[in-house]
Amino acid sequence: MNLNTDNNKSSLKGVYMFYSVVITLCILALFVFDLNIYAKAVLCTLVFLCVLIMRSLKKAIIQPPTIEQEPASEDAPFPMVGTSSTVEHGGAIDLYLTLLIETDEEMSNDPTIDKSAPNYNNLLNHRIGLKLDAMLKSNNHSNKD
């Protein structure tokens, strides 16, 4: 771990000081008080764990601060990921929302379906999935011609 900055040194200094005080108090309690074997085992375990934590802090890697990226242009306020955008008109999100609205309207007209039922969303997504499968099959058949 690189401790070149003052901020990292001061924060680690405080943590080391805390664990050093805990270790010192545990060792002092071992010598001053007449404790049974279980209390001694607990205090020794606490000292051991504090030493392990201090050792792991020494070898820890400091994460660099996150840098926020600015958008590429004002026309595209969101960074585009991949080759096709789902934000543009006719993308996957538009298709899903269109299917969601259509399926919700169809299910609202069906008197056997209760919109306040806990499984309504599952049924809605299942029907959207069926419509997507049907659309995919019709596209595959048209490609074979």
Side-chain angles (χ1 to χ4, degrees):
M1 179 166 87
N2 189 1
L3 298 176
N4 292 336
T5 61
D6 292 332
N7 188 19
N8 292 334
K9 285 183 181 180
S10 64
S11 64
L12 281 179
K13 191 181 217 182
V15 172
Y16 285 148
M17 183 61 76
F18 171 76
Y19 284 114
S20 298
V21 168
V22 170
I23 291 171
T24 305
L25 289 175
C26 288
I27 291 175
L28 218 121
L30 283 172
F31 287 118
V32 171
F33 300 112
D34 186 27
L35 301 172
N36 62 10
I37 191 73
Y38 295 112
K40 288 180 182 179
V42 167
L43 289 175
C44 288
T45 304
L46 187 62
V47 168
F48 181 69
L49 290 175
C50 288
V51 169
L52 287 178
I53 289 171
M54 290 171 69
R55 185 172 180 255
S56 67
L57 285 175
K58 186 176 182 180
K59 296 185 182 244
I61 298 172
I62 297 176
Q63 297 290 330
T66 57
I67 300 171
E68 295 182 19
Q69 296 179 354
E70 295 180 13
S73 67
E74 291 184 19
D75 294 337
F78 300 106
M80 302 298 174
V81 178
T83 57
S84 65
S85 170
T86 57
V87 179
E88 66 189 18
H89 181 68
I93 293 175
D94 287 338
L95 176 65
Y96 177 76
L97 291 176
T98 304
L99 289 174
L100 178 68
I101 293 168
E102 289 175 4
T103 309
D104 187 40
E105 288 174 357
E106 291 172 7
M107 291 175 64
S108 296
N109 295 334
D110 190 359
T112 60
I113 298 174
D114 182 20
K115 287 185 84 168
S116 62
N119 65 345
Y120 178 75
N121 285 337
N122 292 338
L123 184 60
L124 187 66
N125 284 325
H126 177 72
R127 288 198 180 179
I128 291 172
L130 291 176
K131 287 184 178 186
L132 286 172
D133 285 340
M135 290 171 65
L136 182 64
K137 287 179 184 177
S138 69
N139 284 343
N140 286 341
H141 288 299
S142 65
N143 289 342
K144 290 181 182 179
D145 292 339

